[in-house]
Amino acid sequence: MLLVDDYLTGVVFWAYMQVTKRSWMAAGIGFVVAVLAFLAWSHRAQAPVVTPPGSALDLNLASSTESASTPTTVTVEPVTQPVVRPFPINPADTIASWSFAGTDTGNATLTAQANADIAKLTGLIGKGQYDEYDLYNGIANDYGALGNGKEAYQYYNRSIAIHPNKGLAYSNLGHLMDGLGAYHTAADAYAKAVAVEPTVAEYRVDQLTFLTRQFPKDTALVTAAFAGATARLGQNASIYSLEAQWLTGQGRYADAVTAWKTVKTLSPGSDSTAIDAEIARLQAKL
């Protein structure tokens, strides 16, 4: 599990690994999709302090013109916690069970590490050392690894409440809902991630990998997602490789060949043997 000192990098690396594990290529293709990684940033927040009347600090704050017998009390208003509104479950979905086989399920060592990480990250909440958005994300990731979907969902929602315009928690929530079989809710979460941070390639890859796997026949939905990614990212080899795979699955071999040729053009210096073989295979079908 992640050490706290490496936590900020770890949260992003976890999401990257999820994309890597779920990325797929057409049969016989060894092309590796490059996914951009990025580091989360933190905003430090100081816990409220209330100075008790009559304390040494309180007496030092008293005005020189006031009598020492009438100390001045300085009170800092407590920080208002953000309102947590659960990300809506799509009406088309029914979550039969919030428990599932997580990556740590059944492994005593990994389970112990996840529980220890949850305890450590929970202990950092309210200390101001890290952005609580990242802490809640990390706790949710641990619960997801344990297969505890309900707790993971709740902690992703807490993270979203802090920074609703950051995409990581939405994308992670998409992974969770995919694992729970709530595919329409997952699609909504991925769509939200790219809506709030439209130029982050990782979230686009997350979304397109999911849509082309779970909704490959929804041509309008998938086509719009690819168009949106290209409009924001320009010509991106990762996006075109996913599109080539999807087009092949739809039997659109000529379009798939065009997409693979674009991938090859965007990957100068890379070994294109696998791509050339796939192009030849598809051209034989025309």
Side-chain angles (χ1 to χ4, degrees):
M1 302 303 297
L2 297 178
L3 297 176
V4 172
D5 293 338
D6 295 328
Y7 175 69
L8 294 177
T9 303
V11 170
V12 176
F13 181 71
W14 182 90
Y16 165 75
M17 289 302 295
Q18 294 303 310
V19 174
T20 302
K21 287 187 289 184
R22 300 192 326 175
S23 295
W24 51 273
M25 299 289 286
I29 302 174
F31 182 78
V32 178
V33 176
V35 179
L36 299 180
F38 67 98
L39 297 178
W41 64 92
S42 62
H43 299 284
R44 300 181 180 275
Q46 180 64 41
V49 177
V50 178
T51 305
S55 67
L57 175 59
D58 182 60
L59 292 176
N60 288 336
L61 291 174
S63 170
S64 59
T65 60
E66 295 179 358
S67 169
S69 62
T70 57
T72 300
T73 300
V74 177
T75 302
V76 178
E77 292 296 325
V79 176
T80 302
Q81 293 297 317
V83 176
V84 178
R85 294 184 175 86
F87 189 88
I89 304 299
N90 192 296
D93 292 329
T94 298
I95 300 177
S97 173
W98 285 88
S99 297
F100 62 99
T103 56
D104 295 352
T105 302
N107 186 310
T109 300
L110 294 179
T111 296
Q113 290 176 345
N115 284 321
D117 198 50
I118 289 170
K120 195 161 192 177
L121 296 178
T122 300
L124 290 170
I125 293 172
K127 301 297 176 59
Q129 186 176 0
Y130 297 103
D131 189 337
E132 293 188 3
Y133 175 89
D134 297 314
L135 296 179
Y136 287 138
N137 242 316
I139 293 170
N141 290 347
D142 285 325
Y143 276 122
L146 292 171
N148 188 334
K150 194 67 174 179
E151 290 295 327
Y153 175 63
Q154 291 176 354
Y155 276 94
Y156 284 136
N157 283 321
R158 293 179 185 180
S159 188
I160 289 169
I162 294 173
H163 293 309
N165 292 321
K166 292 179 69 173
L168 183 60
Y170 294 115
S171 190
N172 287 345
L173 181 59
H175 289 304
L176 174 66
M177 290 297 156
D178 186 9
L180 290 169
Y183 301 128
H184 293 86
T185 306
D188 293 341
Y190 286 126
K192 186 66 175 179
V194 301
V196 297
E197 292 195 87
T199 59
V200 178
E202 183 181 20
Y203 303 151
R204 297 285 182 177
V205 171
D206 273 354
Q207 181 192 38
L208 292 168
T209 300
F210 169 77
L211 291 179
T212 55
R213 174 167 48 83
Q214 292 296 348
F215 297 96
K217 300 298 184 182
D218 193 335
T219 304
L221 176 65
V222 175
T223 300
F226 276 117
T230 301
R232 287 290 188 168
L233 302 178
Q235 291 192 319
N236 181 288
S238 299
I239 302 302
Y240 275 103
S241 65
L242 286 171
E243 187 173 22
Q245 296 168 57
W246 174 67
L247 290 168
T248 299
Q250 301 306 300
R252 296 168 57 182
Y253 304 128
D255 292 335
V257 166
T258 299
W260 279 122
K261 287 181 177 179
T262 302
V263 172
K264 183 177 177 180
T265 300
L266 295 173
S267 309
S270 299
D271 184 359
S272 63
T273 302
I275 296 177
D276 291 336
E278 178 62 6
I279 290 174
R281 187 182 74 86
L282 294 174
Q283 287 176 329
K285 293 178 176 291
L286 297 177

